[in-house]
Amino acid sequence: MARTGFFHHFGTFLLLVATVLLIVTCISAPVINDISIMKVDFGRLHVGGFKRVTFGTFGWCEIADGQADSCSSSHVGYNPANVMRMIEGTSFSNYAERTTKALTKAMILHPIACGLNFIAFLLALGAGLVGSFLASLVAALAFIVTVVIMIIDFVTFSIIKSNVNDDDSGSRAHWGSAAWTTLAAAICSLLGMIILFITCCSARIHKRRNRDLEPKNDYGIAAAPPRRRRWF
């Protein structure tokens, strides 16, 4: 791995970055109120002391001015359409509400993708050929899971975003930072997987080439290095 050591370590670092980015997504609202996959700034018709609602991986929060925020409990699967209906009176079709509610149950894949990236990072950390190959395989699985959950995030909250922005309440929905950390994690996971696989193949080629260059005896076996003659 000496010839490809820098690139191998860079690929390993990318897997660590992907892990950290997914941790940020996992601790979005209601764990950390201001980190969100999507946020909705309330419009002119909103009544109450809250200024926005943030939707995260395992729940949601209403962010207030000068008073305590109101957050749901952390759990897998919730109903973002019903949250907006109760807060702002936003209208959703039954199909849109059922779809978004069902898709939020798949957000358990966020910590799974995070764990897979971390396992790939550990396998790649100071690994030889076998470890690097296994790391690239786990990184490939981590990339697939990350892409799947990223698509689920954008599909789920695109439905909410479209209905909120089309409503007459004046509220505006925007993508939050946790949506972009998932996207960045998918990119880092993909690049890390590719770099680890290439460096693994390159190291194997160099090893085979060096073996072919070794001097061989008449039986095709690598000859032992000549012994130095000792002079007394």
Side-chain angles (χ1 to χ4, degrees), residues 3 10 18 34 43 62 90 97-98:
R3 294 176 180 269
F10 182 64
D34 287 327
E62 285 184 88
T90 308
E97 182 172 353
R98 288 195 302 266

Side-chain angles (χ1 to χ4, degrees), residues 24-193:
V24 173
T25 305
C26 290
I27 62 173
S28 58
V31 179
I32 298 181
N33 302 1
D34 287 327
I35 300 178
S36 63
I37 299 174
M38 192 189 74
K39 61 182 179 180
V40 179
D41 295 318
F42 294 140
R44 62 186 182 277
L45 300 181
H46 180 74
V47 178
F50 297 103
K51 61 180 180 179
R52 72 168 58 94
V53 60
T54 55
F55 293 99
T57 302
F58 299 119
W60 53 274
C61 286
E62 285 184 88
I63 308 300
D65 275 330
Q67 57 180 316
D69 298 338
S70 175
C71 297
S72 68
S73 59
S74 296
H75 55 276
V76 177
Y78 62 99
N79 193 338
N82 187 58
V83 172
M84 289 308 304
R85 181 185 296 111
M86 297 296 293
I87 294 175
E88 283 283 81
T90 308
S91 59
F92 293 89
S93 66
N94 291 333
Y95 174 77
E97 182 172 353
R98 288 195 302 266
T99 300
T100 54
K101 183 179 180 180
L103 289 175
T104 58
K105 295 179 181 178
M107 290 187 180
I108 189 63
L109 292 175
H110 280 111
I112 293 176
C114 181
L116 288 172
N117 276 286
F118 185 64
I119 292 172
F121 163 73
L122 292 179
L123 288 172
L125 195 62
L129 287 176
V130 176
S132 296
F133 180 70
L134 290 176
S136 63
L137 291 181
V138 177
L141 180 59
F143 168 69
I144 293 172
V145 176
T146 305
V147 168
V148 169
I149 193 57
M150 180 188 67
I151 293 172
I152 290 174
D153 286 350
F154 279 99
V155 170
T156 301
F157 291 107
S158 288
I159 297 173
I160 304 297
K161 183 173 181 286
S162 176
N163 281 267
V164 170
N165 290 344
D166 290 343
D167 199 71
D168 295 331
S169 65
S171 297
R172 304 300 298 174
H174 311 273
W175 295 113
S177 57
W180 306 122
T181 55
T182 306
L183 173 60
I187 295 172
C188 289
S189 183
L190 173 63
L191 293 177
M193 173 197 67

Side-chain angles (χ1 to χ4, degrees), residues 4 193-203:
T4 56
M193 173 197 67
I194 293 173
I195 291 172
L196 288 179
F197 184 74
I198 291 176
T199 55
C200 178
C201 294
S202 178

Side-chain angles (χ1 to χ4, degrees), residues 200-215:
C200 178
C201 294
S202 178
R204 184 175 179 84
I205 291 172
H206 284 302
K207 186 176 180 179
R208 182 179 298 175
R209 184 177 300 169
N210 291 336
R211 189 187 304 123
D212 292 339
L213 292 176
E214 291 179 354

